[in-house]
Amino acid sequence: MSQIIISVGREFGSGGRVIAEALAKRFDLPIYDRHLITEIANKMGMTASEIEKLDEAPKSRLTSRRVRGFSNSIEDNIADMQFDFLRKKAESGESFVVVGRCSESKLRDFDGLVSLFIIGDMDEKIKRVTKLYEMNESEAKLFIEKKDKKRKRYHNYHVGLHWGDSRLYDLTVNSSRLGIEKTIDFLEDYIKARMNAYK
């Protein structure tokens, strides 16, 4: 396989971003995630913080319209710019890791795509979030549920398929079972096997 694109979807608090970053290092690949926001901000003449508020957010149903493929929704336009950016990278033959951005569906016609979805047990996700964000357990649970609801709405709107549905991914892995490091090891082995299968 001359091109490898590792798509990592994740539940909030599952360690999905940490896993994606580790896989990018192990395979010496660029990773596309938050810094996409800076690229989009520069193109739109906005600040990164302004874009971040709208990133992975579904459009307002009351004030937005799409006609002949064009939308008056800034949320739609930001999403489309990210999808276009990733598609151009893939079409150029570049190998990379991407976190979220509906990449398991938007890039599914590339043979080199390996799509992963990382989940976790709620108690383990709460532990991670309480440490990272200095919240109590009840606050962390509500925060996780809010973030995942937002991701689900964004994904289902832009793809028309259900976020987290195992049929969209090569593998759905519960990081709570092996822990983060061993999950990374397992996924590295799987990705290598996929790469070897296409040689």
Side-chain angles (χ1 to χ4, degrees):
M1 187 185 296
S2 57
Q3 181 185 44
I4 184 78
I5 301 168
I6 304 170
S7 162
V8 182
R10 74 282 184 223
E11 291 180 342
F12 193 78
S14 66
R17 176 174 280 113
V18 172
I19 290 168
E21 289 169 350
L23 291 173
K25 284 181 182 176
R26 292 192 186 191
F27 287 96
D28 193 24
L29 298 174
I31 184 167
Y32 296 120
D33 185 13
R34 287 179 174 163
H35 74 278
L36 272 176
I37 294 167
T38 304
E39 298 232 8
I40 302 302
N42 291 338
K43 287 181 182 177
M44 297 187 77
M46 298 172 71
T47 67
S49 59
E50 288 172 324
I51 294 289
E52 193 158 4
K53 290 176 187 173
L54 302 166
D55 182 45
E56 289 196 324
K59 71 174 185 178
S60 166
R61 294 180 187 272
L62 296 174
T63 60
S64 302
R65 295 181 61 206
R66 186 178 280 273
V67 179
R68 296 183 195 151
F70 296 98
S71 175
N72 70 340
S73 161
I74 191 166
E75 294 91 348
D76 274 356
N77 292 328
I78 289 167
D80 288 342
M81 288 176 81
Q82 292 186 66
F83 301 150
D84 288 345
F85 174 90
L86 292 170
R87 186 151 193 95
K88 284 174 184 173
K89 289 290 182 184
E91 287 171 348
S92 76
E94 182 179 322
S95 293
F96 55 89
V97 176
V98 56
V99 181
R101 276 71 189 173
C102 307
S103 50
E104 87 296 326
S105 298
K106 297 296 183 180
L107 302 176
R108 67 179 173 266
D109 52 335
F110 290 90
D111 290 338
L113 178 69
V114 177
S115 55
L116 312 170
F117 193 77
I118 312 300
I119 65 172
D121 294 340
M122 182 57 82
D123 60 337
E124 290 296 320
K125 293 190 292 184
I126 288 171
K127 283 179 191 175
R128 280 186 65 80
V129 171
T130 54
K131 287 180 184 176
L132 288 170
Y133 296 92
E134 298 181 353
M135 297 177 171
N136 63 41
E137 289 187 4
S138 59
E139 289 172 333
K141 187 173 188 292
L142 286 172
F143 192 49
I144 290 165
E145 290 170 346
K146 180 181 176 183
K147 287 284 192 179
D148 280 347
K149 184 177 180 181
K150 179 182 173 185
R151 286 177 181 172
K152 182 178 180 179
R153 284 181 60 214
Y154 172 87
H155 180 279
N156 295 356
Y157 169 72
H158 286 289
V159 175
L161 299 167
H162 292 290
W163 177 76
D165 185 331
S166 61
R167 289 168 292 188
L168 294 177
Y169 310 93
D170 296 334
L171 284 177
T172 298
V173 179
N174 187 331
S175 62
S176 302
R177 297 293 184 261
L178 294 175
I180 299 296
E181 284 305 314
K182 288 185 179 177
T183 297
I184 294 164
D185 293 339
F186 167 74
L187 292 173
E188 180 183 8
D189 288 343
Y190 175 77
I191 293 163
K192 285 178 177 175
R194 279 286 308 277
M195 293 169 77
N196 290 331
Y198 280 91
K199 281 184 178 177

